[in-house]
Amino acid sequence: MMAEFARYADITIAAVGLVQGLFLCFLLRAEGVRAFAANRWMMLFLGAVMLNLFNDVTKRMLPAEAEEMIVLFFFPANFVIVPAIYLYFREISGTPSTRPWIHFVLVGVIFNVIAWLLSFEADGPNAPSRDVMLSFVIRRVCWFTFFAQSAFYIVLLWNVSQRYFHQTQEQLGADRNAMRRWIIVILGGVSLIFVTVLLSWIASRYLPQDLAMSGAGLAFVLVLFAMTYVIATQPVLFVMADWPGEGEVIDIPDSVDAKGPPAAGPINSGYGEVSQPDIPSFPRPLLDEDGAAIICRRLDDIRKRGDLLFDPLISMPKLARAVGVSPNQLSYVLNHHIGQKFFNYVNSARVEEARAVLIAEPDRTILDVALSVGFNSKSTFNLAFKTLTGETPSAVRDSARHVSDTTDPPPEQQSDDQTRVLISLGPTC
């Protein structure tokens, strides 16, 4: 009776987990091409987890003769789970692995060992006792290798996640609690999977294996639900790997004298050519008034263009490179001359554009507008919009629709009204 209950429970849990895993993949895919470099590793992690859940379904439905083949194709997937999360954190912390395939060598090794073992066990009950003992030892070695690999990578994960957390705080000014929640969910989830599988494997020595391993499937599903909730309610922040060192200045074409006027001409910021105003190269992170004023003018030009600030993966290094200064100099100007941290400055530009779009195109959905200006979720957009304008996006959109239905002012007046809105939101030096 207990075994029958475990059978149906495992199938139900696995089916729910598969649906949740697919939904989480769609959420990650919706973050766009720019985020794919990091999200591909998260999707690989999800794929390995879903293979385990799919294994729980197939082993209950296929005949016993097929169980060994199931082990051959599904067990090596366990060696992908923790390395994939490690590579994800390496990518978003700005230190991507140059040879990521090294982290998956064990997958191929274990696959070949199991394939050899299955051919070795072909004699079945007629196999000599020494062969049975060798098979037992090899299977135990495979499991011990899995636990050793997982423990090793979990230690590495804690180290690289701390670097990611500190970089995000410094470069993006992100909400500390939101970042801590995301890190805890991932690391806590991976640790929970590791501990649950370990305890289930130990319990399988004393209980029927199907019953003992039921907890592992439940752990997978709980982790998927927690990750889905965090991604759906908080934007996933990415840190780019290009923050120059302290005091370093990015060179500007046509060598510029620090005290004299710079050479004019366009520069390539990575987002197309941008007209170059007078920008000296500054030898120090802290700037004089003239240098700060030049950076302010350049920021105004980038803000009017909009495309860079609407990039969902915008970071302090990216913006600093477009301006032509170091991130330290840019941070100094934002804090002391504009009066905003980097994260607030980007949000104000996005909300400014979003409000104009809501007024000009009241039929567009709020989520569509939010995504178009660089926000990764509707909830984050609503919070930023309400904080900066004192109104909700829905209220602005409804007001625009009401005005459009009752009266249709001349185009010149509409343009003036929108201009006044933009000026009221945009900070200046």
Side-chain angles (χ1 to χ4, degrees):
M1 183 67 180
M2 182 63 71
E4 191 69 16
F5 173 78
R7 176 174 180 270
Y8 286 111
D10 275 356
I11 292 177
T12 302
I13 291 172
V16 172
L18 287 170
V19 173
Q20 194 66 35
L22 288 173
F23 178 68
L24 188 52
C25 285
F26 281 120
L27 283 180
L28 293 171
R29 188 67 185 88
E31 291 181 346
V33 177
R34 296 185 184 98
F36 183 73
N39 284 345
R40 58 180 171 163
W41 302 120
M42 182 62 73
M43 290 179 182
L44 185 60
F45 161 77
L46 294 174
V49 169
M50 287 190 290
L51 279 177
N52 276 275
L53 295 172
F54 188 66
N55 179 30
D56 291 341
V57 176
T58 54
K59 72 182 180 182
R60 308 275 184 186
M61 296 182 174
L62 296 178
E65 294 77 13
E67 183 176 350
E68 296 299 336
M69 294 303 297
I70 293 174
V71 172
L72 173 63
F73 288 100
F74 289 102
F75 182 73
N78 292 309
F79 291 83
V80 173
I81 294 176
V82 188
I85 291 293
Y86 172 72
L87 290 173
Y88 169 80
F89 272 109
R90 283 285 301 269
E91 194 78 39
I92 62 179
S93 64
T95 56
S97 176
T98 56
R99 292 180 292 178
W101 59 269
I102 292 179
H103 299 277
F104 303 110
V105 169
L106 268 178
V107 178
V109 172
I110 295 298
F111 179 87
N112 284 279
V113 168
I114 294 177
W116 174 83
L117 188 62
L118 292 181
S119 63
F120 183 75
E121 295 174 340
D123 293 337
N126 299 323
S129 59
R130 70 175 187 278
D131 293 346
V132 174
M133 179 58 67
L134 179 61
S135 172
F136 175 82
V137 171
I138 291 176
R139 289 176 180 272
R140 291 297 178 272
V141 168
C142 288
W143 274 104
F144 282 125
T145 302
F146 165 70
F147 291 126
Q149 182 220 39
S150 299
F152 172 74
Y153 273 98
I154 286 174
V155 173
L156 294 180
L157 268 174
W158 282 100
N159 292 331
V160 74
S161 65
Q162 289 301 311
R163 181 165 63 247
Y164 168 51
F165 180 68
H166 292 308
Q167 280 186 307
T168 305
Q169 292 296 307
E170 295 173 357
Q171 295 186 23
L172 298 180
D175 179 71
R176 193 177 186 88
N177 292 329
M179 290 311 310
R180 183 182 290 111
R181 187 181 305 115
W182 176 237
I183 292 174
I184 288 176
V185 164
I186 295 181
L187 295 186
V190 171
S191 301
L192 174 64
I193 290 173
F194 171 74
V195 172
T196 304
V197 172
L198 176 60
L199 294 178
S200 298
W201 182 78
I202 295 174
S204 68
R205 306 303 98 199
Y206 308 98
L207 298 173
Q209 186 173 7
D210 291 346
L211 182 62
M213 298 302 291
S214 297
L218 182 60
F220 285 135
V221 174
L222 290 176
V223 171
L224 293 179
F225 267 104
M227 291 175 62
T228 302
Y229 174 77
V230 174
I231 290 180
T233 56
Q234 297 287 341
V236 182
L237 302 176
F238 295 88
V239 179
M240 306 310 291
D242 48 12
W243 192 345
E246 182 73 22
E248 181 181 348
V249 179
I250 301 173
D251 292 334
I252 297 178
D254 301 325
S255 66
V256 181
D257 189 307
K259 296 182 180 180
I267 68 169
N268 194 329
S269 66
Y271 291 82
E273 291 191 343
V274 180
S275 60
Q276 177 187 348
D278 294 344
I279 305 179
S281 83
F282 305 106
R284 303 182 309 277
L286 300 182
L287 308 172
D288 56 23
E289 293 299 323
D290 291 339
I294 292 171
I295 294 178
C296 283
R297 291 199 301 269
R298 186 61 181 280
L299 283 172
D300 288 341
D301 182 61
I302 292 175
R303 190 181 183 108
K304 290 174 184 177
R305 293 175 181 272
D307 57 340
L308 179 58
L309 298 179
F310 302 156
D311 179 356
L313 302 183
I314 183 64
S315 64
M316 182 79 81
K318 277 188 175 183
L319 185 58
R321 187 168 63 241
V323 174
V325 295
S326 76
N328 301 302
Q329 294 163 343
L330 177 60
S331 177
Y332 175 80
V333 171
L334 289 174
N335 284 279
H336 293 85
H337 293 266
I338 296 181
Q340 286 186 317
K341 292 184 177 180
F342 169 77
F343 198 59
N344 294 331
Y345 178 80
V346 171
N347 274 351
S348 66
R350 293 174 174 177
V351 169
E352 175 183 294
E353 175 66 15
R355 177 161 185 155
V357 173
L358 287 169
I359 293 174
E361 305 176 45
D363 291 330
R364 287 183 64 177
T365 65
I366 292 177
L367 179 60
D368 183 31
V369 175
L371 295 177
S372 69
V373 297
F375 287 97
N376 285 333
S377 70
K378 184 178 177 181
S379 59
T380 306
F381 171 62
N382 286 338
L383 178 61
F385 196 98
K386 180 67 180 292
T387 301
L388 291 171
T389 68
E391 299 179 278
T392 63
S394 298
V396 172
R397 183 186 60 182
D398 293 342
S399 177
R401 284 176 174 172
H402 177 72
V403 171
S404 177
D405 292 339
T406 56
T407 180
D408 189 12
E412 294 80 3
Q413 181 179 341
Q414 290 181 346
S415 178
D416 292 342
D417 291 342
Q418 291 182 17
T419 301
R420 285 194 293 272
V421 169
L422 300 182
I423 292 175
S424 66
L425 286 176
T428 57
C429 294

